[in-house]
Amino acid sequence: MKQKKTNAARRLDDLKIAYRLVEYTVDEEHLDAVHVAAEVGMPAAQVFKTLVVRGDKTGVIFACIPGGGELDLKALAKVSGNKRAELVPLKEVLPLTGYIRGGCSPLGAKKNYPVYLDASSSGWDEIAVSAGVRGMQIVLAPAGLQLATRAVVAPLTF
């Protein structure tokens, strides 16, 4: 059976960046990245969740951090040129990005928001991010994600 392509996957295709799609069973009760990591057979530190954040100067930005990590909002604010940054309320995520909770990808959103990728990504040959739908991850080299999103790499977690 042919896998359905998402906007995120099409973006990588357009840029000729190598990746693979990994599907998993969705559990509505457990949409967190740690659970997704277990489902796709990867350590939580290798599966990156995409958080939608609003900076007081720049507006909406994406933070991609390891599944088990906690976002350091002060570190993100500093590296993104903001004084303050806060998570966008869940009800605003879909209208802003086109993605729902558990399926938010740094690739192929409604707008090309700036992306900040946690420095720990460099320690892996490949990482996983949401493919833009629940039940599918994109696995690719961190450098491929950086190229596709023009991500700024910095320490973003506690």
Side-chain angles (χ1 to χ4, degrees):
M1 187 171 122
K2 190 172 189 258
Q3 283 183 316
K4 183 176 178 261
K5 289 279 178 130
T6 63
N7 286 342
R10 282 190 280 278
R11 173 88 178 116
L12 294 172
D13 288 343
D14 290 347
L15 295 169
K16 298 182 178 17
I17 294 173
Y19 68 93
R20 61 189 161 87
L21 294 172
V22 178
E23 294 186 72
Y24 62 93
T25 304
V26 177
D27 178 349
E28 297 287 334
E29 298 294 312
H30 301 99
L31 296 171
D32 61 277
V34 173
H35 180 78
V36 171
E39 288 293 312
V40 299
M42 295 171 84
Q46 196 174 2
V47 176
F48 282 62
K49 56 189 173 186
T50 303
L51 302 175
V52 185
V53 180
R54 184 174 284 119
D56 64 333
K57 295 186 185 326
T58 61
V60 175
I61 54 179
F62 285 143
C64 294
I65 64 169
E70 187 178 338
L71 179 61
D72 181 343
L73 287 166
K74 285 183 179 170
L76 178 61
K78 185 175 183 181
V79 76
S80 63
N82 290 285
K83 280 199 188 320
R84 286 184 321 280
E86 60 186 25
L87 288 172
V88 167
L90 191 54
K91 67 179 188 267
E92 294 180 36
V93 171
L94 178 61
L96 286 170
T97 66
Y99 292 132
I100 58 172
R101 178 176 172 257
C104 194
S105 178
L107 296 155
K110 276 184 172 181
K111 263 184 83 179
N112 287 328
Y113 295 113
V115 175
Y116 294 85
L117 178 61
D118 188 68
S120 68
S121 63
S122 305
W124 299 99
D125 290 336
E126 56 183 22
I127 59 172
V129 295
S130 175
V133 294
R134 290 176 181 168
M136 189 179 296
Q137 292 282 298
I138 288 177
V139 179
L140 75 170
L145 183 62
Q146 289 170 35
L147 179 65
T149 62
R150 296 188 176 101
V152 172
V153 179
L156 300 176
T157 54
F158 289 111

